Amino acid sequence: MPVFPKKNTCNCSCEIIILDSLHLVCLADVKSKADMALQSGENPGHELTNGNSSNDVEELEEEDDSDSSSPPLPYLQAPAPDGCCTLDGFCQAGKDLRLVTIATESIEVPAGFELVGAKSPSIPEHILVCAVDRRFLPDENGKNALLGFSGNCVGCGEKGFRYFTEFSNHINLKLSTQPKKQKHLKYYLVKNSQGALCKGPLICWKDSKTHQFSSCASASKPNSSLSLSSKENGATSGHSSPPFSHSDSPPTRMVQASTVFFGNQDLGRDCSFLKPVTSTPGTKTLPIVPTALRVTGPTSNLGVDAHPSLLGTSQVSMVPPSHGYRSTDLGDSPVSSAMNSGPPKKRHRGWHPAPLVPVPPTAVPVPAIRPILCSPGPVLAVSSPQPLATGVIQPQPVSAGETVIVPENLLNSSGVRPVILIGSEQIPLREELEQIVLKAMLCCPGNPSISPAQLPWLARLEASVSGGSVHVVIAHSSLGEGISESLRTLSERPPHQQRCLPTYVVIICASKISGNEFCVLVLGKYQARALAEGMLTTNEFLKEISYELITGKVSVLASHFKTTSLGDNLDKQLVRYQRRRKGQVIQPFQGDVTDHIHSQEAASMSPPPDTADLLNKVFQIYPAQLTVARSLLSQVCSIADSGTQNLDLGRFCKVDFLVLVPPSHILVHQTAQRIRQSGVLVDLGNEDAFTAHQRSEKYVVRLDADVHTKMEAFMKKVKQNPYTLFVLIHDNSHVDLTSALSGSVCHGELQGLADRVVNCQEVLDAMNLLVLQVSCFPYTLQTRQSRISTHNEIHWPSTESLQREQSPEDTVYFGLRDYSSSLQWGVASPILRCDDAFEKMVHTLLDKHPHLHSMVIRSYLLIQQYTEAMMALTSSPSLRDHITPETLAMVEDLINAPSREGSRGRGHMLLVRVPSLQLAMLARERLEDVRDKLGLQLCFAVLLGSPVSELSLSRNFINLIKTWRDCESEDWVPHTYEDLEGLPCIVILTGKDPLGETFPRSLKYTDLRLIDSSYLTRTALEQEVGLACTYVSMGVVQESRTAVAPRDSDGEKTTISLNDGDELERPQSNGSAATRTSGSLAENGVSSSDVADSFQKPSTSTSQPEGVLTSDISTLTERFKQECDSPGSQLSSNPSKTTNAPPSLYSSSSSSSPSTSSSSTQRPSQSTQCGRASKSSRVSPRTVILSRAAYSLLAGESGSQLSSFSLLPHADVAWSSPLRPPINYNPQGEEQSSYYRQWTVARQHHADYEAPPDPHPRRLLLSGPPQIGKTGAYLQFLRILFRMLIRLLEVDVYDEEEDGEEETSDVTAPVHSQWPDIEEVRKLPFDPSPRDPKFKKASPVYCDKMPKSSGGFKQEESHRQAKRVTKSIRLSRFAAHNSFHHCEQCHHYCEAVPATQLSECSLHAFTFCSSMLGEEVQLQFFIPKSKEQHFVFSQEGSHLESLRLPLASKDPDLLKSPIFTPTTGRQENGLLNLFHAMEGADHLHILVVKQFELHHYRKYWPNHILLVLPAMFNNAGVGAARFMIKELSYHNLELERNRLEEQGVKRQDVWPFIVMMDDSCVQWNTCQSADGSDTSDGGSSLSNVSLKSVLQQMENTPKISLYAMCGIRKWSSSLPCRSPSSPFSRCHLHDFVMLNVDLTQNVQYDLNRYGCEEVDFNLRVNSSGLLLCRFNNFFLMKKHIPVGGNKDFVVKPKLMEIENKASISPSQYVCAPDSEQTLLEAPAQFLLESFLQNCSHRLFPKAVQNRNNPVLSIDSYLNLSPEITVCYINSRPHSTNLNHQGLVFSGLLLYLCDSFVVSGLLKRFRFLKGATLCVICQDRSSLRQTIVRLELEDEWQFRLRDEFQTANCSEDRPLYFLTGRHV
């Protein structure tokens, strides 16, 4: 078609650029139901009138004549939907409609409706009650009834029936003739005196037939009440529902068909109307919305938040609404409501029922496109260069008085109606117009303007090249006049000229007053038809097709296809051929179409049994899926970590889920199969292995009528299980997003269900429920009103990044962009193609059948093509020339593929997409019939793929698949498309949308030739092509891209065959050496048993912290990758190399019953498991055959026209502004989302239309291309989410056995004793060596019975730096928690208090004199108001006097001991919440913190008492904290004794114990025997016990005050296997100690110490003759916390300018005094202890590995490494020491020795010759004094070079030591 050449000059003004940028299109010669509505408001539901004769009107009138004497038309009523009631007198919902039964019931009748009685032929004695809009009923004169129908069902309450046909079906009238309201609505119903309904007067239908068509009473003048904003206008229904509900309306729209540019919601306020022109005979009005296009300017930019008057802010459509240019906003404009000819067929539900003031039928305002000037000049000229946009489009009212006179005979004579439209070369697209306008505005800012006189001349100049297809009309006074004149001229053309109409009429009005205006009338055929069909929603056009089929309108077309292309009778030819075969069929598998054998013989044939590598793959998770799952988990952690209290992960211990899928049986089976094979149910602990197989389908719910019951049950579970985190997965969430308010049970089809389920208040409010929406086409969820935060969107990683991870032999995803770019490959047989021959045939048929929907025509043609292709290949070769090459090649490949060498009988799948169920059933029936008559019934199957039904396959094909699958189960049937792998078949896929089903790898062809003008939104188009997307072999794609010519083959096939032969052959097997092993379940670690194993095996890694509750929960995802991710590193160092199958795609063992053999249940289908393939098993892209319209859009990326990604993203959304940045490329992920969130808005019927302003915090969106593996990703997400929650509820505790426990002594306490007996305990020997595994790197202490076996072991361990063994255990209800724990019970215990209360908490100084330090010490207490009762204050209340202590004789249940916990660096991770451990009992817990950390601990533990150490201890070790705790406690004990003594209490009655407990004590256990006693000889078990129970047991010990220290054992996993040898023992106590500060008053902790301070203290307590007692039946679990605890200093040079990258070894921690060695920044004591631990073998060479000759250490225990044994001796008089008679020492260690150490003491000991001495002192002078005082030079030889100091500078006070040798 000739089009205007585009001007490249920028000298024209904006309107000229708009004109010459227009690719003007013609509008088809078609009068749809919209045409009739256009003229008269008549209901199109009766007949879709078409044709060019005036008889249409008469036919319509005859049809409306209820008294016609002609025989009734045979009428085929539509079958009732499955499950509906069909009982006479009841509606399909099962509600009684009979007047006799509901006469006394209260019936709600909407305003403007009447109750009328209908008569059913099947129950003539009854009247059925209906509610009908009174505008569609006649008045008392039988006149003024609007054509059409609007009614409600009074039984079930369903509203909005727009067809009487459909209403009669719903109320089960069961008619044998065409339903007509005139025939079947008989009576008005009135109320009698008793208030009961009864039969009233007859409805007077007499006179309507003669006037309905011409009266046009519907054009009416709006009254003042209607000239309001849209919200007021639409408010009558109670909510703002769409003017034309997409879900349940008839297929056409009156005003929309004729409207082009219409304005925003405020338009009506500016509209003014003059008095109407007087009616003249023979004229009709053309109702058009009065708006204009004004370009104003300049504005700053295309901002989203522009002024409300912009088009962008008010859902405005610039071209007639449709898919792509439909807008539901028409009814929002009061003007449009007023100007509609009465209520249109698809009226806003809240349409005002009040009668309107009629307007004479001739006067209607006219739309105009009016570029209004922004300068006084007559044309559009922008004065100066501006940013991106220099103006905005703004609607303007039409000048008063403009009317359009539409000639009466225009439609009758020419069959042409004007549609004002601008579009592209093919189908008019709104987006293209908007791009043209935008380019025009941006093209020539500031250029010379064009005068009004020049404008028409330039326009005619442009039109002159069009060859008459474009006419330019110049209007002088107004645009309305020009439109009227154009229409009049068209109607007056003589008949012979009617065929030569121009394609376009451009009407231009250039006036100085109103500026330049123009309008384009599009009068062509193809575009108009496409436009009219494109205006319908999917629901509407499917109903239209159904209507055409039911009413028999297709009979002419059907009769046309009863003959073959050669003119023969098709059926007769087939029957003739069938008889000629004589019961023989074409041989399957290995024959060709000329080989016939008997049908029975053929049926018994089976394919070759070679199934070696067909299906033996297992479910796997691939790297991309793992990445996405981790991203999801990371985002969930971010939500939890955001501080908004929207998600508290710490409270959940379980994960459960439910998957919502669109209403497709096959999709349910497919998803359940994924769940079953993934093992996720077992991994989550929701099912065991057997029930998981049975119950997997319970976790998948279809969004159908049963969803509410299932969701109620699910939400009940959610409420009943507050500690389970539920995930509601809404898969394919783009499919139905109609709002619950505007959706309904509409004509048997449910809509709005997803909104009711996913957006219901229960779901939104549940704090333990996450909603994950999953979509390939998320555009409809990404509007300005989106319920999903941009932060909560997870996008699939780009294919480019994925390809970088893979090798060339791997599979690669082949998606929509790849199909578009494949057009550049230059291969002879492109995989994306348009069947031009088919399109030409379609055009011919469209001309012949203008009254039928194009999809009906395409469907019949497609059926004929496949029919004749089968005939051409079997019985009628002469038909070949009449079949398109594409069709012939596909059918030939389908029939021949199974017989090719190496195919083993397997063939291809051919997918034919037929959206209409009726047409699909017709196609299946026809193709099956032709196949059988041609003898091909065993060669391939023909299946109907419908979402509403299961797959149905004949038994011989089922047996065939079972043979390939090696399946022995008798009752196995295919449930998913993947189960059809390898089966030669034609699948006719029906349903309005593809719903996400996965197709097998054997799918080779996707026939989308029916997807045409009804699919002009991005989602609608792309989801069709998405059917073909899959993973393909990378090599195939690379070869194809480099191919420049077709391969050599037989000539014809080279041009027409599709992927035939080797190069693009479909794989026949998919073996992969990596995954074919028998034990493959373990290879990717997905199985639940593998997860269980990881629990059992002790983790040897400290890099995976148990302290998972870190300050930022999102770090968990990184920390637990190895544990949470199924393909763990335990099994494969590189999981991505284990297999090369694509992500997603899953195995599809389609066994639906447990009887299936185990081998088949583990076998995935080929469809998705394409491994590292040999040439024969390579996977090629599927071939897609498209309609011309779809092909143009998909190929657009490489051309100049629009691409699919420029289209309106979804029919449920609208562009927010016509002036938006163009999309010049295909955006992805976040960029695409932000674009749509800025530039699209939800339409009124969209579920998000009235969404709250803030996105929902617990809702996430996962988007990724179709068939890329999203299901596997979200199942993996569930698995790792559960693992993380378990990690949150689990802790890694140290799991180490005590080292070389001493053999049981002869003296044992009674086994069953609950408490120790003081006398028995005294008899027990003390074990001086530290046995706890944490002391594995510490020196053993010498005793009489040294273990014999550990020498070599210790040396070996010290060298390999073994990591401590941990085990993951579940927290019990008695556990101690860190700051991340929140629950209802303990929130008051640890959560922050209001700032007012915080200010009441105060610091109290507490001063006492320390005898050890020899000076006064001032400690500070931070005491919350709530804890002040634990303290004694002075009478003024300001001075802290003491900490209250209870009496020893008090209530035994009372907890008496204050608990002190020294802690540093663990304000978040320390287990300082003892609420649950103490069972909520009252207790006193004091945290001992360093001064610089006070504010950290105050922030996290505002309700705790904090004891703040003096600043001098900021760098000190834990010894200082323990020292200060003990000193304070003793001083406080004395104060309390004094205070209570004054009250008459004995001093010894004051409780003398404190508890000193580490901040990593997590749980306590007790050992119990089977009989319930505490312990026994035989099988004992551990049970959790609270800290309170442990303390009560210890505090109530008889004669407790005689014990210096009590403690408990450390737990290990081996403990339950054996009972402790004795319930009590005397040994080292640590970590958790009950300390008697009275008895130990003279024994102090070494305040200088960083390590082993407890061993040192225990040895001194024991040698002082005091009792230490360990309760062996209690066990302490200590959590591994990787942070804090002051475990280590980073030792670095003092002067940082010294750039020394090398780490400093412990040997450098000491140096010679005054040397120039690098001095270090670390405490001297720390350097000394580290040096001794690592380098003592140099100091004491004779002691290494010499347990018989230990090093003598006097008054102190220092760690000299595990290789050196230490013998501890206390120098105090009366102390208890080891008998050292006969013991020869290998060395002597004197550490800061005091005056009790004298030379006489040292002379008692014997040393080896060459033994070494080490004397350590605070400074050099004290070192020399000590040498002299102890007379050491008598026996020890010293050298000057043997003096050392710690490597500190002098201000850091280094320690000095001297070494010497024994002589």
Side-chain angles (χ1 to χ4, degrees), residues 431-690:
E431 287 75 20
E432 192 155 21
L433 167 77
E434 291 167 345
Q435 287 192 15
I436 290 167
V437 172
L438 185 64
K439 285 176 187 172
M441 295 183 66
L442 300 178
C443 190
C444 311
N447 276 293
S449 58
I450 296 168
S451 70
Q454 292 172 311
L455 184 59
W457 180 81
L458 283 171
R460 284 188 170 126
L461 179 65
E462 292 286 2
S464 64
V465 300
S466 69
S469 64
V470 179
H471 285 189
V472 176
V473 174
I474 305 302
H476 297 288
S477 58
S478 72
L479 196 61
E481 176 210 354
I483 295 173
S484 299
E485 179 62 26
S486 302
L487 298 180
R488 187 186 60 75
T489 307
L490 286 170
S491 66
E492 291 173 357
R493 284 192 168 215
H496 66 277
Q497 289 184 11
Q498 291 294 342
R499 295 178 186 173
C500 309
L501 289 171
T503 310
Y504 305 99
V505 177
V506 181
I507 302 160
I508 299 175
C509 176
S511 76
K512 293 182 179 178
I513 301 167
S514 58
N516 299 331
E517 305 170 324
F518 69 88
C519 176
V520 182
L521 304 187
V522 183
L523 309 175
K525 293 183 177 182
Y526 168 73
Q527 290 83 355
R529 186 183 206 132
L531 171 62
E533 292 177 355
M535 287 178 183
L536 309 181
T537 65
T538 313
N539 280 343
E540 289 165 359
F541 89 73
L542 291 176
K543 285 175 193 167
E544 167 62 22
I545 290 170
S546 172
Y547 175 79
E548 292 177 8
L549 293 170
I550 289 172
T551 55
K553 292 177 72 172
V554 296
S555 55
V556 179
L557 182 68
S559 62
H560 169 80
F561 284 112
K562 282 180 181 172
T563 57
T564 66
S565 301
L566 296 172
D568 302 318
N569 184 297
L570 184 63
D571 289 331
K572 286 182 180 175
Q573 259 203 320
L574 288 169
V575 170
R576 228 177 0 251
Y577 184 71
Q578 186 180 20
R579 286 177 184 153
R580 209 160 58 228
R581 284 192 297 105
K582 298 176 182 174
Q584 289 192 320
V585 297
I586 292 170
Q587 183 175 350
F589 313 130
Q590 55 263 36
D592 65 35
V593 291
T594 58
D595 293 342
H596 290 71
I597 59 172
H598 197 274
S599 57
Q600 290 178 346
E601 183 186 346
S604 63
M605 292 177 65
S606 62
D610 181 4
T611 60
D613 57 356
L614 176 63
L615 296 165
N616 45 357
K617 289 239 185 321
V618 294
F619 180 93
Q620 282 195 293
I621 297 294
Y622 297 91
Q625 290 170 305
L626 206 48
T627 302
V628 170
R630 286 172 181 165
S631 300
L632 282 167
L633 181 66
S634 176
Q635 192 50 44
V636 169
C637 291
S638 298
I639 296 170
D641 199 41
S642 62
T644 54
Q645 307 299 312
N646 287 315
L647 187 64
D648 180 7
L649 290 177
R651 64 183 296 181
F652 302 120
C653 57
K654 194 171 168 55
V655 172
D656 203 346
F657 70 97
L658 187 71
V659 183
L660 296 172
V661 296
S664 161
H665 290 277
I666 292 168
L667 194 56
V668 169
H669 292 307
Q670 176 182 304
T671 309
Q673 214 168 67
R674 304 277 196 269
I675 293 170
R676 192 159 54 237
Q677 293 157 354
S678 71
V680 70
L681 292 176
V682 179
D683 291 348
L684 298 183
N686 295 348
E687 308 285 347
D688 59 36
F690 178 74

Side-chain angles (χ1 to χ4, degrees), residues 87-105:
L87 201 61
D88 293 332
F90 292 77
C91 72
Q92 289 183 347
K95 302 294 183 183
D96 199 337
L97 302 177
R98 295 170 299 174
L99 179 61
V100 291
T101 56
I102 64 172
T104 56
E105 292 183 11

Side-chain angles (χ1 to χ4, degrees), residues 1234 1253 1529 1539:
S1234 60
S1529 299
R1539 182 178 71 85

Side-chain angles (χ1 to χ4, degrees), residues 133-363:
D133 190 325
R134 68 165 67 100
R135 295 166 299 172
F136 297 91
L137 299 171
D139 58 19
E140 63 276 5
N141 298 320
K143 297 184 179 180
N144 295 331
L146 296 182
L147 288 186
F149 178 76
S150 175
N152 302 342
C153 175
V154 299
C156 64
E158 186 175 337
K159 297 177 181 172
F161 289 95
R162 301 292 191 266
Y163 287 139
F164 186 69
T165 304
E166 291 165 19
F167 183 67
S168 65
N169 289 346
H170 178 78
I171 63 174
N172 289 313
L173 283 186
K174 299 184 180 171
L175 305 176
S176 56
T177 59
Q178 176 72 28
K180 293 184 181 177
K181 64 182 181 183
Q182 296 94 326
K183 281 186 182 179
H184 303 105
L185 298 182
K186 294 291 189 184
Y187 310 100
Y188 290 104
L189 300 181
V190 295
K191 289 196 175 180
N192 60 18
S193 55
Q194 286 81 34
L197 273 183
C198 60
K199 187 167 76 172
L202 282 165
I203 299 173
C204 178
W205 291 108
K206 298 281 186 194
D207 217 18
S208 58
K209 67 177 181 181
T210 56
H211 297 291
Q212 275 181 341
F213 194 81
S214 58
S215 67
C216 201
S218 56
S220 53
K221 179 179 180 178
N223 57 23
S224 60
S225 68
L226 285 176
S227 298
L228 304 171
S229 73
S230 64
K231 291 212 169 166
E232 294 163 14
N233 186 40
T236 55
S237 65
H239 66 274
S240 189
S241 59
F244 302 129
S245 164
H246 283 209
S247 61
D248 54 355
S249 18
T252 46
R253 306 195 168 81
M254 178 183 68
V255 175
Q256 287 179 331
S258 57
T259 305
V260 194
F261 299 99
F262 51 90
N264 67 359
Q265 297 175 347
D266 295 328
L267 175 66
R269 296 176 183 169
D270 303 324
C271 280
S272 56
F273 300 89
L274 281 192
K275 291 178 182 176
V277 179
T278 310
S279 172
T280 53
T283 63
K284 283 192 183 184
T285 59
L286 174 67
I288 300 177
V289 178
T291 64
L293 185 67
R294 167 178 283 183
V295 182
T296 59
T299 58
S300 60
N301 55 25
L302 297 181
V304 182
D305 301 317
H307 188 274
S309 64
L310 302 189
L311 281 170
T313 60
S314 60
Q315 306 182 21
V316 175
S317 180
M318 290 182 58
V319 280
S322 71
H323 279 281
Y325 32 79
R326 168 170 57 257
S327 170
T328 57
D329 308 291
L330 180 61
D332 290 348
S333 165
V335 179
S336 65
S337 295
M339 294 316 303
N340 275 317
S341 300
K345 304 172 292 297
K346 291 282 295 182
R347 170 62 63 200
H348 190 300
R349 292 248 172 103
W351 195 79
H352 203 291
L356 299 175
V357 181
V359 173
T362 50

Side-chain angles (χ1 to χ4, degrees), residues 1462-1583:
T1463 175
T1464 179
R1466 288 179 175 169
Q1467 59 271 16
E1468 289 181 287
N1469 297 285
L1471 305 178
L1472 307 177
N1473 177 352
L1474 302 183
F1475 180 86
H1476 299 285
M1478 302 299 273
E1479 300 183 51
D1482 194 33
H1483 64 280
L1484 178 58
H1485 186 199
I1486 300 171
L1487 308 184
V1488 184
V1489 303
K1490 295 181 177 179
Q1491 191 183 59
F1492 74 94
E1493 293 182 306
L1494 169 64
H1495 65 284
H1496 295 307
Y1497 279 91
R1498 276 193 67 176
K1499 174 185 174 186
Y1500 286 96
W1501 304 100
N1503 300 329
H1504 275 55
I1505 301 167
L1506 304 181
L1507 171 58
V1508 186
L1509 297 174
M1512 58 190 270
F1513 292 127
N1514 273 352
N1515 280 325
V1518 69
R1522 297 194 192 281
F1523 170 81
M1524 293 308 302
I1525 290 167
K1526 187 172 173 301
E1527 282 281 89
L1528 165 75
S1529 299
Y1530 179 73
H1531 182 71
N1532 184 72
L1533 176 63
E1534 289 299 303
L1535 289 171
E1536 280 292 280
R1537 281 175 170 173
N1538 295 337
R1539 182 178 71 85
L1540 292 169
E1541 195 174 31
E1542 292 173 6
Q1543 301 173 16
V1545 176
K1546 293 180 182 177
R1547 293 180 71 86
Q1548 64 267 27
D1549 282 353
V1550 180
W1551 184 252
F1553 283 91
I1554 64 167
V1555 171
M1556 215 178 297
M1557 184 172 84
D1558 286 2
D1559 59 3
S1560 57
C1561 299
V1562 63
Q1563 257 176 209
W1564 293 262
N1565 297 300
T1566 185
C1567 187
Q1568 286 187 334
S1569 62
D1571 61 4
S1573 59
D1574 283 347
T1575 180
S1576 67
D1577 297 332
S1580 59
S1581 64
L1582 289 186
S1583 61

